[in-house]
Amino acid sequence: NEMMSDVEFDCSKAVEMGYISPKLLELIKLFETFGEPSQLMCLIFVERIITAKVIERFVKKVSQVSHLTVAYVTGSNTSTDALARNRQKEVLDSFRSGKVNLLFTTDVLEEGIHVPNCSCVIRFDLPTT
């Protein structure tokens, strides 16, 4: 897809053309308002692993937020998209140490995650319960 490979593409136009949802555009706009990456640790909860993967990949391509480091982490369930336990730990350590600013995760992690200096939590998808 030509538009997705163009790093400087216009997010509003992407919504008009149906490439991204208005909700994702709002999330990008919110990320644009965040200050210095050194102060930022934002946890974004999504319902499905595939959502975490796709949005994380997309955000990495948006030049307006390229100063932020993005990653995703999932529970280690049997899903083919789930991350291995050691990879999970690596990503969480990077987030805790501030190397990763925006961490997309599924509810699976909600119980056991401890991030003492998390500056922001966003629930991208409504909770199922």
Side-chain angles (χ1 to χ4, degrees), residues 77-126:
N77 62 14
T78 53
S79 164
T80 53
D81 288 325
L83 293 180
R85 225 175 249 296
N86 57 347
R87 180 72 187 120
Q88 264 185 43
K89 190 185 174 318
E90 259 173 52
V91 173
L92 281 171
D93 288 346
S94 294
F95 184 62
R96 284 190 189 103
S97 70
K99 284 188 195 123
V100 168
N101 307 115
L102 307 174
L103 183 63
F104 288 89
T105 183
T106 54
D107 287 352
V108 180
L109 277 186
E110 205 167 0
E111 304 299 313
I113 193 167
H114 177 67
V115 185
N117 44 356
C118 189
S119 55
C120 169
V121 175
I122 297 172
R123 191 166 262 300
F124 187 73
D125 293 318
L126 290 174

Side-chain angles (χ1 to χ4, degrees), residues 66-81:
S66 60
H67 61 292
L68 301 174
T69 311
V70 192
Y72 79 93
V73 69
T74 64
S76 54
N77 62 14
T78 53
S79 164
T80 53
D81 288 325

Side-chain angles (χ1 to χ4, degrees), residues 8-72:
E8 281 291 334
F9 78 88
D10 178 345
C11 285
S12 308
K13 212 169 237 118
V15 170
E16 283 169 34
M17 296 174 79
Y19 288 115
I20 66 170
S21 70
K23 187 163 82 165
L24 182 52
L25 176 64
E26 288 307 311
L27 188 65
I28 299 294
K29 284 181 179 172
L30 182 64
F31 291 161
E32 287 179 47
T33 67
F34 291 157
E36 279 303 299
S38 59
Q39 308 298 304
L40 179 67
M41 288 175 75
C42 182
L43 202 50
I44 304 104
F45 283 103
V46 295
E47 192 181 326
R48 295 167 59 213
I49 294 172
I50 190 69
T51 308
K53 282 177 82 167
V54 170
I55 296 178
E56 181 252 6
R57 261 194 206 144
F58 175 76
V59 171
K60 282 182 175 174
K61 292 181 185 289
V62 179
S63 58
Q64 296 92 312
V65 291
S66 60
H67 61 292
L68 301 174
T69 311
V70 192
Y72 79 93

